[in-house]
Amino acid sequence: MDIMQVAGVGAAALVAEMAKSTWETVRAVVARMLRRDGERGAEQVLMLVDGARQQLIDSPESERGPVEERLRGELLIQLAAFLQRHPDAASELQRLTEQVEGDSAVAGARTNVHHNTNSQVVISGGAINASGGFHYGRPEVGR
């Protein structure tokens, strides 16, 4: 098991969950996992995580991408260091990540479409095969 890979996926999942209503549940699982470092160590890391979440929530929507990227990097470092001290926690973090990703898949896609005058939006839960191409416009009648 590659600790950096587990930490990276875990960091991405945590940042994705921070702005959702399910955050408190995810945070509780993270807090239990972090207690391997003792109460004081867990509190210190949770303060960093809570601060990161507040930064994300306070950031304007137009700046969320760069903020999320920076927070993923910071959490990656914290999680990788934690997993090096407690490699047994990697499977717990993986399970949390899989649960979070599974919950997101069930919830469906989140799509925002703006200023799409005279256009169509195609949303797919999987691959789209358009071997004949996409054709937009009025259907031809009576050919």
Side-chain angles (χ1 to χ4, degrees), residues 61-62 64 108-116 120-123:
E61 189 71 35
S62 62
R64 285 261 167 102
R110 178 180 155 200
T111 306
N112 293 313
V113 180
H114 304 281
H115 312 295
N116 64 323
Q120 294 182 10
V121 177
V122 177
I123 301 173

Side-chain angles (χ1 to χ4, degrees), residues 15-132:
V15 171
E17 285 297 302
M18 285 180 173
K20 295 181 182 177
S21 62
T22 56
W23 171 246
E24 287 303 318
T25 303
V26 171
R27 185 188 183 279
V29 173
V30 171
R32 268 194 316 274
M33 183 179 69
L34 292 174
R35 285 198 181 97
R36 287 175 169 87
D37 272 344
E39 285 298 320
R40 187 165 184 211
E43 275 183 41
Q44 289 175 339
V45 175
L46 281 174
M47 284 176 50
L48 293 172
V49 170
D50 289 338
R53 179 178 184 261
Q54 196 61 50
Q55 289 175 28
L56 180 65
I57 291 171
D58 291 345
S59 66
E61 189 71 35
S62 62
E63 296 174 17
R64 285 261 167 102
V67 171
E68 287 175 348
E69 188 174 330
R70 182 177 50 78
L71 295 178
R72 278 192 300 271
E74 291 173 6
L75 284 173
L76 167 68
I77 293 167
Q78 292 293 324
L79 289 172
F82 175 79
L83 292 176
Q84 285 177 339
R85 290 189 308 276
H86 306 283
D88 60 308
S91 58
E92 189 174 346
L93 181 58
Q94 261 186 320
R95 279 193 306 275
L96 175 63
T97 300
E98 289 166 0
Q99 177 187 348
V100 164
E101 288 173 349
D103 290 347
S104 295
V106 170
R110 178 180 155 200
T111 306
N112 293 313
V113 180
H114 304 281
H115 312 295
N116 64 323
T117 306
N118 297 322
S119 65
Q120 294 182 10
V121 177
V122 177
I123 301 173
S124 170
I128 297 177
N129 184 352
S131 58

